[in-house]
Structures are given as C-alpha cells and as structure tokens.
Amino acid sequence: MKKIEAIIRHYKLEDVKNALSAIEIHGMTVTEVRGFGRQRGHKEMYRGAEYTVDFLPKVKLEVVVIDDDCTKTVESILENARTGEIGDGKIFVTDLSEIVRIRTGEVGEEAI
C-alpha cells in the first residue's frame, strides 16, 4: 500500500478530484496548507509599499492506494495538476506498513 501526498494549486483541485474518480480512486483527504519551494514566494504592492509573501497558499491532497494503483494515480495527478509554471507543486509517495479501519477493525487493503 502507498500513501500519495500531492501539494497542488487550489484551482486544480477539482480537476484532480474528477480525474481520480474517473480511474476509480475515491477516498482522499484535502488540507489547505501554506509553503514555498524554489520560487520563495513573490512580491506584492499594498498602499504603495512593497512586501514579500513568503508562504503561498496551496492544497495538500492525500490518497492511500494499493501498490497496483500507485502509478496510474500519480500520473493522473501529474496530468491534471500541471500548468507548466513555477509553483505547480510536488508529489510524494511513501510505503505504508499497516492500515486499520477504526469502525470495523479491518486491517490492510480491506481497510482502504
């Protein structure tokens, strides 16, 4: 089992969600986050004063899938979150050793 975390732009969330549903990936967690990568934020003007916005708003999408679905899930996120501009985000894939569904006590792939 794999946990896929994707940091993406807010306005791409609906596209990614629909694409994942289309490939039968249904469960996900979405969190609003703030951060920066190589772009280091950007400068803005407010009432004539320039200031730097260091932490940019993004969305963190978390999905847990079986190993066989990992590649198609990552590819789907990649295709639907990409704009080609700096700040498109990142995708992280980690191995999960165990999953337990609290309500039923199911363990492993059955708990997904």
Side-chain angles (χ1 to χ4, degrees), residues 28-44:
M28 64 183 69
T29 301
V30 176
T31 311
E32 291 189 22
V33 296
R34 298 175 66 78
F36 65 88
R38 290 185 182 161
Q39 81 266 24
R40 294 278 184 187
H42 63 274
K43 296 191 184 311
E44 290 186 2

Side-chain angles (χ1 to χ4, degrees), residues 39-52:
Q39 81 266 24
R40 294 278 184 187
H42 63 274
K43 296 191 184 311
E44 290 186 2
M45 294 290 286
Y46 181 73
R47 294 188 177 181
E50 184 178 275
Y51 66 98
T52 302

Side-chain angles (χ1 to χ4, degrees), residues 3-8 12 15-17 19-20 23 25 28 61-63 65 69-83 88-93:
K3 180 179 181 182
I4 301 167
E5 296 177 75
I7 309 296
I8 63 174
K12 287 298 203 171
D15 293 341
V16 171
K17 182 187 75 138
L20 292 178
I23 61 169
I25 304 298
M28 64 183 69
L61 174 72
E62 297 173 90
V63 181
V65 297
D69 291 340
C70 185
T71 302
K72 72 178 180 179
T73 303
V74 169
E75 288 172 356
S76 182
I77 294 169
L78 194 56
E79 287 174 20
N80 290 281
R82 179 183 287 147
T83 67
D88 274 352
K90 299 268 193 300
I91 299 173
F92 306 97
V93 179

